[in-house]
Amino acid sequence: MEKECIQCRRKFYEEDETLQKCPQCRGEEFAAGRKLSAEECAELAKMQRKALKKRKTRANKRAHAMRYAMEFRPSGMLRCVLALVLFGICVFFFMISDGKSKIALAEVSYTNQLLLSLSCAVVSVALLLPSFKMHKFLISAASAIIIAVSALLPTLFQKQGFEHYLPTDTQSQTAQEAADRLRCLRDEDLEFLAKCARDYPDGVHYAIFMRMPDRLLKTETGSLKNIAPETQTVDLIKSSLARILHSDAVEHHRSKSGISGIGVYFTVCNSRLANTDVAELLQQKYGKIYYSSAEKGIYELYIDTELIHKQYDADQLADVLDADFVQRNVDALQALDTAVVQAAARRLADAGERVFSSPQAQEKVESVKVALRELLSQSWGGDRQAYCAVVEAMATYAPREVVAEDIFALWCKEPMVWNTAAGKLADRVESLMLAYLEEPARTEQESMAALSYLRQYGTSAALATLRSFSQHSSVSLRNMAAVAQSAIEQRMQQSE
């Protein structure tokens, strides 16, 4: 700043407010003083720079404090309170959604509950962030706690086990009272079961509730491939119930009493399986039954993760030289996933000769036959490929126990699908095929399929019928019959 020297009245510029004299007057006044050495000058300059740096730091801090002084004033406080209230509401709803309440949150799956809690946490943390600069430790700790608690909310207040339903004094309760206390399905959940009973009074119907943590629904199933989504696991259980309980109609429901968050509920209509066998099968395939009413057809069980998620090593299952090849594939025949069953049946069918010639062949073949008999007794619905693989395997291991007429009937409906299975029983199917071919009502397409079969599996017994086609009006049938006759004659020459 510009100043006026109090001694010589000259104008001069000086930053220091305490100096009232110009440099020339000060020089003359202190001219007789001792001059500083170079080291002293350097030390003095260093002290001045240090003092200037301190002044700048204090100035920046004061400016920053003035700029953000309002962070925890009315606006900052309002944001923080709003964040805590929002997260508190989220926690409150999870606290009251314990799996038995009727609020909508109890019907939401684990994944969606987790997304909901994390979304509330993100919004709450976003409201706290503007106050971070002035309160780093406090805001960081609050944000970490909110995120951690939100990640645990879906499981923190959900009663995953049965302890929530256990009586307070179990010793004073009878076994039936304890079972009734464990029961989850209520009257409002059984409306569809009652409707099935009204519509089909002579049928057998079941209501099956499978209690399991939602996290179980999004992991792998017993398939050789990974099936992660929840809906595919539910579909796996639904299709396996239809097959194992011999039913053509299995419905998956959302519970009306608010228990969908802790399990899945199915109604099995028109089952062809007796009530006495259901409980044992359910425990064998899915888990432990904790409530059952054979009279009403109600079964509730707790899913066994090792059963529902049983894993199969594809390399071990395919190793025919392995001593445990048969047993491993017999175990795979018990899988819930029909793709696993189909693959195991095909492997066993392809390895038939090796199995028959292996040590303990009789014991191994008998174990395969027992497993295949059980599968053939089940209801396969529209899964024709898996059923066909099981029939072909049965024809390999127990041809005398497979009725040729049944195989032929299946061939008549789907010749391409059942051709191989019928070929394994050619000695008994051939006579049926020839009678089928000689019927005048056969269409050209049906006759072509029969001639194609004889071309692959026919014997000398079919030559007379094939020669009768030499005068047929259809050129295609004449040609196919000639090809079949030539193939049979060639096989006869090779066998001689």
Side-chain angles (χ1 to χ4, degrees), residues 97 103 120 158 181 241 258 276 289 307 313 352 371 375 377 391 414 417 422 470:
S97 64
I103 65 170
C120 291
Q158 299 291 326
R181 186 69 180 271
L241 277 175
T276 54
I289 290 179
L307 289 177
D313 191 314
L375 289 173
S377 67
V391 172
E414 297 176 288
V417 175
S470 60

Side-chain angles (χ1 to χ4, degrees), residues 252-321:
H252 171 228
H253 307 281
R254 295 189 65 85
S255 168
K256 295 183 179 181
S257 61
I259 57 173
S260 295
I262 60 173
V264 287
Y265 171 39
F266 302 93
T267 300
V268 180
C269 296
N270 287 328
S271 172
R272 292 179 291 278
L273 199 66
N275 240 328
T276 54
D277 302 327
V278 173
E280 181 180 353
L281 268 177
L282 291 177
Q283 293 206 124
Q284 179 185 355
K285 298 291 186 180
Y286 301 99
K288 184 178 180 181
I289 290 179
Y290 62 88
Y291 173 83
S292 65
S293 175
E295 296 179 357
K296 298 179 180 179
I298 301 173
Y299 296 90
E300 298 186 13
L301 56 109
Y302 189 68
I303 282 289
D304 186 339
T305 57
E306 294 183 359
L307 289 177
I308 197 72
H309 295 301
K310 189 171 184 179
Q311 300 295 313
Y312 300 93
D313 191 314
D315 295 333
Q316 291 182 344
L317 290 174
D319 187 2
V320 184
L321 300 177

